[in-house]
C-alpha cells in the first residue's frame, strides 16, 4: 500500500473519530490511542492533523486540542497563515500561499483588540474586514481562531511577587509576567532562566498561566544561551534510539558493491570543494570536453535516499527536523552523523553512492541536454575554497601539487563556471552582494570577534554548478509531466516595487518603474560606486519575497528560472531528499509519488522548519552579542542604518554585527521629519539626514538581556550629508531631548517594535547568497543557498 493510500485511510479514520456524536476535543495522542496506532502511526497522525488543520478539515486550537471543523468552514473572507505579534500587542498575518487565489496580496494588519490569545508564529484563521490600516496600507483583519500553536513552551526569567512565582518571558511578546504558582519542586532561584509551558495564553481578557518544565540556570552561565534557544524553538537535539539503531544497521549492511542500475564512475576524475571546517561532503564535480567540443558537467550528489527509506523511523525523524540547524556553537543535523558524516559523505578515496546529473553544454555554455542516473564515485581530491582561490591566482604553482588530471579539471571548472555565471546574469538573475558577518567564538561559546564572509570565484564555481544541476533536475521532472517539490521565489508584490521605485528616485537616481527586473539590475549596477549602494541593496532585498517550497509553478524570480528545485543537499534538507526519491523512480522507469496536495503540505512543513532554523540562528547570535556588550556600556562602534522609522533608527555594527535601536532622543538635538518614501529622518535646523544604509558612529547606551534589546545613541554621522530635503515630510520629533510629539517614547517598548518586529528592521542584513532568506539558495548547510 502506498504512503498516499495510508495517509488517505488514516485521514478518513481521524475524520470519522471526531465526527462522532458527543465528541469532545482531545489531543492527538488520545486519538492515536483510540485508533490503536503504533509509534510510526502516531508520528503520521500528528503530521496529518497539522495538514488537515491547514486545509480546514479540523480545527487545531489551544492546548493542541483537535476540534471539529465547524469553526473553520471555508469563507471568502477567511484567510489562514502565520502571525507575527509585536511588542505593542498587535500583529501581522503572513497569509498561506493559497491566499493569493482568494485575491489577498501582502500582509494583513491585526489590531491589538482583535488578536485574541494568538502568539507569535501561531497559525491562525483571520477574517479580512473592509478597508486598510491608514498608516501602513495593509489589509485589516480579526483573528477568528488559533489553528495551530507554533509552540507552547517559552523561555524567561523567574521572579516572585507576594509569595507567588512568576516568569517574565524573554523578548517583547508578553509584556506582563506569567503566573507559575509554586514551582518549589524545581528548586528554581530568583533570576534563573527557565522553560515554561503555557496552560492559558495571555489575551486582553486573561493574564495567562504557565508551569515551569525545566530550569536552565543562570543567564550568564556557559551554554545557557544555547539551551535557551534550543528550548524556545523546540529544536530536536538527540536522536531517538530506534533512529540510531536503524543507522547502525545501514552501516553494517553497506558493502560498497556497485550493481545495476547504478553506474560505476569510481574511475573518473572527480573532486569536492568545501569550507575548510566542513565535516560532511554532499556534492562532487567532474567535467570533460567531449568529441564535438561540448562540455559534459557531472554533478554528483550523495545518495541519501539509498539509506533513508520512506516511512521508516529514520525518514520520520528527518521529516520532523526538515533540515539541519547551524547555530553558532552547535550543529543539529537532520540525519545521524553515522550517515551524514559517514555513509553518505563523499569522502576522498572512498566508494560512495551518488545521484548524478550529467549536463551537456555547447562551447558557449548553453545547456543542450541532461541525463540523470544512480551512480557510485570515488572522490580523488578534497579541496577547500581557499586552495581553489590559491590555484586560480597562480595555476602553474599547483602543477607539482596535483595530478595532471586534477590540475586540468580545476582549470576547466573555472572556465565553464564563469561562462555560466555571465550567461545567468545576462538572462536577468539578480545578484546582491551584502557580505554576512560571522561571529567568532571561544571554546565556551563566548564572542571574541567577528569576520566577514567572502564570495570568491571558488565559491562561484560551485554555486554555478549547483544551480545548473538544480535547474536540470527540475526541468526533467517538469517535462516528464510530474508535480515536483520546487524552490519557489515569487515576484515581489507590486506595492513593494512601487515603494522601491519611489525610494530609488528619492535618492536622485533616475529610473523607470522597477517592475522590470532588468531595470532593478541597472539601478544596482549604477549604484555600485555611490554612497547609496548599501541603501539600495537593503531596499531591494526587503522588496523581495521569502523563498519557500511547494509544487506551484511560480518560478524563481531572483534567479530568473522558470523551473527550479533543490537537489544538491539531501544530507541537510528534506526537500532535496524528496527530489532524489522522485529521480530514483524516474530512472528506474516508475512513476514517482507526485500527488499535488501531499507535496503542498510537505512544502509548507519544510518551509516552516527552514524559517525556524533561521530564526533560531539569529536569536542565538543576538543573545551572544548581548552578553558580549553587557559590560561595554559607553563603548563606541561603527554601524550602518538598517531601518528608518518615524520613531527612530535601527542600526547594525559593522565589525561586530550587533543590532540596536536609536530613538529620537538618542539623535542630536533637533526636530526630525520622517520621509517614508526616501526612508529618511531629517533634522529641521541642522539639515542632518539619516538614511537607510548610511554609516554612523554609535555608542552603546543600554543592554537588556531579558528583553533582548540594545539601545544606541549617535555619536556622529560618518557619511557626507547630501543636503537634499525629502520629497514629503512629517514632523515626528522634538528639540527636547528624549521626547517625541507623534511617535511613542523612543526609549520605551512602545513604537519601537511596532514596525521594527514586522519589517525586520533590526535583523541582520542577509549574507552571501542570501538573498535566500528573502529569495534563493543553491547549497546547504553553512553555505547560504539560492
Amino acid at each position: 500500500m502506498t504512503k498516499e493510500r495510508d495517509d488517505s485511510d488514516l485521514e478518513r479514520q481521524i475524520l470519522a473519530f471526531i465526527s462522532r456524536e458527543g465528541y469532545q476535543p482531545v489531543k492527538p495522542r488520545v486519538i492515536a490511542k483510540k485508533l490503536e496506532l503504533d509509534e510510526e502511526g502516531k508520528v503520521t497522525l500528528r503530521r496529518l492533523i497539522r495538514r488537515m488543520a491547514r486545509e480546514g478539515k479540523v480545527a487545531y486550537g489551544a492546548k493542541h486540542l483537535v476540534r471539529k471543523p465547524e469553526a473553520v468552514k471555508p469563507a471568502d473572507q477567511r484567510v489562514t497563515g502565520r502571525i507575527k505579534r509585536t511588542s505593542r500587542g498587535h500583529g501581522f498575518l503572513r497569509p498561506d500561499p493559497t491566499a493569493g487565489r482568494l485575491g489577498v496580496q501582502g500582509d494583513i494588519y491585526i489590531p491589538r483588540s482583535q488578536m485574541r490569545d494568538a502568539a507569535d508564529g501561531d497559525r491562525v484563521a483571520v477574517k479580512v474586514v473592509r478597508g486598510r490600516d491608514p498608516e501602513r496600507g495593509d489589509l485589516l483583519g480579526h483573528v477568528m481562531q488559533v489553528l495551530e500553536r507554533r509552540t507552547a513552551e517559552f523561555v524567561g526569567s523567574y521572579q516572585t511577587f507576594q509569595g507567588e512565582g512568576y516568569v517574565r518571558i524573554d523578548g517583547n511578546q508578553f509584556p506582563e509576567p506569567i503566573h507559575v504558582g509554586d514551582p518549589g519542586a524545581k528548586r528554581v532561584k530568583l533570576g534563573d532562566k527557565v522553560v515554561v509551558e503555557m496552560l492559558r495564553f495571555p489575551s486582553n481578557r486573561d493574564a495567562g498561566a504557565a508551569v515551569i518544565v525545566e530550569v536552565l540556570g543562570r543567564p550568564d552561565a556557559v551554554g545557557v544561551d544555547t539551551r535557551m534557544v534550543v528550548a524556545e524553538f523546540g529544536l530536536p537535539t538527540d536522536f531517538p534510539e530506534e533512529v540510531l539503531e536503524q543507522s547502525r544497521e545501514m552501516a553494517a549492511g553497506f558493502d560498497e558493491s556497485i550493481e545495476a542500475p547504478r553506474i560505476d564512475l569510481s574511475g573518473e576524475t572527480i573532486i569536492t570543494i568545501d569550507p575548510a571546517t566542513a565535516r560532511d561532503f554532499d556534492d562532487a564535480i567532474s567535467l570533460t570536453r567531449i568529441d564535438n567540443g561540448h562540455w559534459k558537467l557531472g554533478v554528483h550528489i550523495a545518495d541519501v535516499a539509498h539509506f533513508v527509506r520512506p516511512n521508516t523511523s529514520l525518514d520520520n525523524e528527518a521529516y520532523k527536523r526538515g533540515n539541519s540547524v547551524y547555530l553558532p556553537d552547535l550543529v543539529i543535523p537532520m540525519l545521524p552523523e553515522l550517515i551524514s558524516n559517514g555513509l553518505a559523505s563523499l569522502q576522498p578515496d572512498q566508494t560512495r553512492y551518488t545521484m548524478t546529473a550529467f549536463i551537456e553544454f555547447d562551447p558557449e555554455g548553453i545547456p543542450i541536454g541532461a541525463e540523470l542516473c544512480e551512480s557510485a564515485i570515488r572522490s580523488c581530491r578534497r579541496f577547500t575554497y581557499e586552495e581553489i582561490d590559491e590555484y586560480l591566482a597562480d595555476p602553474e604553482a599547483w602543477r607539482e601539487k596535483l595530478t595532471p588530471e586534477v590540475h586540468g579539471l580545476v582549470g576547466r571548472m573555472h572556465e565553464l563556471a564563469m561562462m555560466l555565471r555571465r550567461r545567468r546574469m545576462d538572462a536577468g538573475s539578480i545578484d546582491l552582494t551584502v557580505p554576512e558577518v560571522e561571529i567568532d567564538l571561544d571554546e565556551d561559546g563566548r564572542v571574541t570577534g567577528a569576520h566577514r564572509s567572502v564570495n570568491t570565484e571558488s565559491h562561484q564555481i560551485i554555486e554555478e554548478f549547483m544551480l545548473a544541476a538544480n535547474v536540470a533536475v527540475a526541468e526533467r521532472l517538469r517535462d516528464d509531466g510530474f508535480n515536483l517539490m520546487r524552490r519557489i521565489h515569487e515576484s515581489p508584490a507590486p506595492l513593494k516595487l512601487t515603494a522601491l521605485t519611489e525610494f530609488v528616485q528619492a535618492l536622485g537616481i533616475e529610473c523607470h518603474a522597477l517592475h522590470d527586473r532588468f531595470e532593478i539590475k541597472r539601478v544596482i549596477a549604477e549604484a555600485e560606486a555611490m554612497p547609496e549602494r548599501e541603501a539600495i541593496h537593503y531596499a531591494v532585498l526587503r522588496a523581495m519575497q521569502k523563498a519557500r517550497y511547494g509544487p506551484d509553478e511560480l518560478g524563481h524570480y531572483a534567479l530568473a528560472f522558470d523551473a527550479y528545485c533543490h537537489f544538491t543537499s539531501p544530507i541537510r534538507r528534506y526537500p532535496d531528499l524528496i527530489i532524489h526519491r522522485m529521480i530514483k523512480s524516474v530512472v528506474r522507469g516508475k512513476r514517482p509519488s507526485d500527488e499535488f496536495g501531499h507535496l503542498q503540505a510537505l512544502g509548507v512543513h519544510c518551509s516552516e522548519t527552514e524559517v525556524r532554523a533561521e530564526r533560531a540562528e539569529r536569536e542565538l547570535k543576538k543573545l551572544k552579542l548581548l552578553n558580549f556588550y553587557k559590560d561595554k556600556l559607553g563603548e563606541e562602534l561603527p554601524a550602518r542604518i538598517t531601518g528608518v522609522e518615524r520613531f527612530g533608527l535601527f542600526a547594525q555594527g559593522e565589525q561586530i554585527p550587533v543590532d540596536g535601536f536609536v530613538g529620537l532622543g538618542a539623535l542630536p538635538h533637533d526636530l526630525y521629519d520622517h520621509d517614508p518614501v526616501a526612508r529618511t529622518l531629517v533634522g529641521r535646523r541642522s539639515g542632518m539626514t539619516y538614511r537607510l544604509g548610511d554609516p554612523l558612529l554609535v555608542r552603546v547606551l543600554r543592554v537588556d538581556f531579558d528583553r533582548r534589546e540594545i539601545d544606541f545613541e549617535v555619536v556622529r554621522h560618518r557619511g557626507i550629508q547630501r543636503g537634499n530635503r525629502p520629497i514629503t515630510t512629517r514632523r515626528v520629533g522634538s528639540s527636547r531631548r528624549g521626547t517625541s510629539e507623534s511617535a511613542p517614547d523612543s526609549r520605551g517598548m512602545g513604537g519601537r517594535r511596532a514596525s521594527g518586529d514586522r519589517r525586520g528592521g533590526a535583523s541582520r542584513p542577509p549574507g552571501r547568497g542570501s538573498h535566500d532568506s528573502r529569495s534563493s539558495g543553491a547549497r546547504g548547510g553553512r553555505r547560504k543557498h539560492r
Side-chain angles (χ1 to χ4, degrees), residues 27 62-64 117 119 122 149 151-155 167-170 173-174 176-180 195-203 207-213:
K27 292 188 175 184
K63 302 182 183 178
H64 294 187
D117 65 346
D122 287 351
R149 295 290 186 185
T151 182
E153 294 189 344
F154 297 86
V155 173
V167 171
R168 179 173 290 281
I169 305 300
D170 283 2
Q173 181 178 183
F174 304 116
E176 300 299 327
I178 307 296
H179 183 250
V180 293
V195 181
V196 301
E197 181 173 352
M198 288 290 184
L199 301 176
R200 298 192 314 278
F201 277 75
S203 67
V211 60
I212 293 177
V213 295

Side-chain angles (χ1 to χ4, degrees), residues 369-622:
E371 175 190 355
L372 308 179
C373 64
E374 297 178 81
S375 55
I377 70 167
R378 285 177 70 89
S379 170
C380 55
R381 180 65 152 80
R382 179 214 167 181
F383 283 97
T384 65
Y385 286 123
E386 292 78 9
E387 287 176 326
I388 296 297
D389 286 326
E390 291 175 10
Y391 170 99
L392 296 177
D394 187 2
E396 289 302 313
W398 280 76
R399 285 200 179 275
E400 295 184 0
K401 302 178 183 179
L402 305 173
T403 66
E405 293 79 10
V406 171
H407 189 277
L409 170 61
V410 176
R412 291 192 300 273
M413 289 171 61
H414 179 249
E415 182 182 354
L416 177 59
M418 295 304 102
M419 192 182 302
L420 297 181
R421 186 173 180 83
R422 286 191 298 271
R423 292 191 60 83
R424 180 166 64 84
M425 295 304 167
D426 290 345
S429 185
I430 298 173
D431 189 53
L432 295 173
T433 54
V434 183
E436 182 177 350
V437 180
E438 295 286 349
I439 59 176
D440 301 321
L441 307 175
D442 62 17
E443 293 182 355
D444 292 329
R446 301 186 189 280
V447 177
T448 59
H451 65 278
R452 288 189 177 273
S453 61
V454 293
N455 183 26
T456 64
E457 288 192 341
S458 63
H459 295 78
Q460 293 169 11
I461 289 172
I462 293 300
E463 180 173 37
E464 294 306 321
F465 293 161
M466 298 303 109
L467 291 174
N470 288 339
V471 170
V473 169
E475 289 181 342
R476 168 65 185 276
L477 293 173
R478 177 201 63 189
D479 293 346
D480 283 351
F482 302 125
N483 297 313
L484 67 140
M485 180 65 77
R486 300 170 185 266
R487 180 62 167 175
I488 300 167
H489 183 229
E490 296 180 67
S491 302
L495 286 175
K496 287 194 174 184
L497 290 176
T498 299
L500 177 63
T501 303
E502 293 173 344
F503 170 67
V504 170
Q505 291 172 341
L507 293 178
I509 298 177
E510 293 185 7
C511 68
H512 300 295
L514 296 179
H515 295 74
D516 183 333
R517 67 169 57 251
F518 288 97
E519 187 69 355
I520 293 177
K521 287 172 64 68
R522 187 192 65 77
V523 167
I524 292 171
E526 183 177 329
E528 270 308 296
M530 299 174 63
E532 293 83 4
R533 174 186 180 277
E534 299 278 355
I536 289 174
H537 280 217
Y538 289 154
V540 172
L541 282 169
R542 289 177 182 178
M544 296 287 183
Q545 301 231 38
K546 178 91 174 65
R548 60 182 176 85
Y549 295 105
D552 306 274
E553 297 185 46
L554 298 172
H556 198 294
Y557 177 82
L559 293 173
F561 293 147
D562 292 330
Y564 188 69
C565 69
H566 274 172
F567 157 73
T568 53
S569 293
I571 287 177
R572 303 177 175 94
R573 296 184 307 218
Y574 198 80
D576 303 53
L577 178 57
I578 296 170
I579 291 293
H580 277 232
R581 287 171 177 165
M582 295 187 73
I583 295 170
K584 275 184 178 289
S585 295
V586 170
V587 300
R588 294 181 181 187
K590 301 177 182 178
R591 181 177 181 87
S593 173
D594 73 332
E595 196 271 317
F596 189 92
H598 181 60
L599 289 174
Q600 193 171 51
L602 282 172
V604 169
H605 170 75
C606 292
S607 298
E608 290 177 350
T609 60
E610 178 186 50
V611 169
R612 177 180 69 174
E614 292 171 353
R615 291 183 63 190
E617 180 184 0
R618 285 198 301 268
E619 201 65 21
L620 185 53
K621 282 186 177 180
K622 181 194 294 186

